[in-house]
Amino acid sequence: MKRTLIGLLIVCLMAAGCTGGNKPDGTKSPAGTKFPVTVKAANGDVEIRSRPERIVSLSPTATEMLFAIGAGGQVAAADEFSNYPAEAPKTDLSGFTPNVEAIVGHRPDLVVTENEGLVAALGNAEVPVIYQPTARKLEDSYTQMEQLGLATGNSSKAKGVVARMKSDIRELVESVPSETKLTYYHEIEQTFFTATSKTFIGQVYSLLGLENIADEADTEETGGFPQLSAEYIVNANPDFIFLADTKCCGQSPETVAARPGWDQIKAVQQGQVIPLDDDIASRWGPRVVDFLRTVTKAILVSEPAGT
């Protein structure tokens, strides 16, 4: 989950060359947003002088958000991991080790990134940058969606997406009995890295009353993502195992059951090892509803607590 900071120096470019030919100030988007607008992002106030038409998204989550709020047609390039939706203009741009010259080569009038180190580097090129770090809670996801709505002239659509997410999530949470007390282990990769309740991932599970076996192993140094041992997990005996390493690492209920000693875990014995889509389970965009739906379904079809 670490992001590599960059220290690249770039030649100062003319504003017109970096913005891709912005329209004059005071223009309106098709949705009626009047520009310029100021977005209060994690990197401070970001002024967007006119409706962006060449957005570069260096965050898979931001790419999903942009398409969900109706700004997909404004995205000129997306990073190498922006694999959803299928029509996203995926490129070889890296959000982890970004190449400033390559980014500027796409003539962006707005860049969205998870990499805080990119903000200053692109500032030298006079390209507006919105920094959106990993969400810590659902409210962060809603806020980022609305930031992008304002920045792209799609505020109304963004607010609608957020309202629909809130409604769907509320309905899913209410479908789970409040007395449910079940434990779980969320696997990020087969070396037993996991996410605790302090993370966005963990908070999604907490909405449904699930208890995280990794919480006691978390420290300030691990930052919500500790590496457990096989012995720790077996001894914790979770009711569920959720696999967020099915695509990256080929894990499945069968590979988990074959691990030494894991056949003694309740989740394995009761058929409650649940495969997840790695991407959906690691991003905090609109598909978090799909993530929550998968977990909800697993709970509702599970054995009663305590069996």
Side-chain angles (χ1 to χ4, degrees), residues 37-224:
V37 298
T38 299
V39 178
K40 296 186 180 299
N43 54 311
D45 290 350
V46 180
E47 184 183 34
I48 313 294
R49 288 176 290 181
S50 61
R51 183 177 186 266
E53 301 292 349
R54 295 193 58 81
I55 301 170
V56 170
S57 173
L58 299 175
S59 160
T61 297
T63 300
E64 293 194 18
M65 288 181 175
L66 286 163
F67 275 83
I69 66 173
Q74 297 163 251
V75 181
D79 76 290
E80 60 185 333
F81 295 116
S82 287
N83 55 6
Y84 186 89
E87 61 268 30
K90 181 180 173 182
T91 69
D92 59 0
L93 292 175
S94 172
F96 295 99
T97 56
N99 182 315
V100 173
E101 291 182 340
I103 295 167
V104 172
H106 286 278
R107 297 180 293 110
D109 45 20
L110 176 64
V111 173
V112 186
T113 181
E114 294 177 51
N115 190 333
E116 187 175 13
L118 189 57
V119 175
L122 280 173
N124 294 334
E126 300 185 23
V127 179
V129 183
I130 293 178
Y131 166 52
Q132 295 192 323
T134 303
R136 304 292 295 186
K137 54 187 183 299
L138 273 171
E139 284 302 323
D140 294 340
S141 177
Y142 303 148
T143 296
Q144 291 182 7
M145 200 110 51
E146 292 180 353
Q147 287 172 354
L148 294 178
L150 177 61
T152 63
N154 294 278
S155 284
S156 295
K157 182 71 179 291
K159 290 178 180 178
V161 172
V162 168
R164 187 164 60 252
M165 285 179 66
K166 289 181 177 180
S167 176
D168 290 345
I169 289 171
R170 181 168 56 251
E171 182 177 338
L172 288 168
V173 170
E174 291 175 352
S175 72
V176 175
S178 58
E179 65 273 11
T180 298
K181 296 296 180 184
L182 298 166
T183 60
Y184 76 96
Y185 160 60
H186 176 95
E187 183 168 288
I188 295 175
E189 60 179 49
Q190 74 270 38
T191 56
F192 312 133
F193 274 100
T194 187
T196 71
S197 298
K198 293 180 181 178
T199 67
F200 177 83
I201 296 168
Q203 293 208 351
V204 172
Y205 289 109
S206 296
L207 290 172
L208 301 173
L210 293 179
E211 298 179 2
N212 194 325
I213 67 164
D215 285 350
E216 292 184 4
D218 199 14
T219 66
E220 186 175 344
E221 289 73 25
T222 60

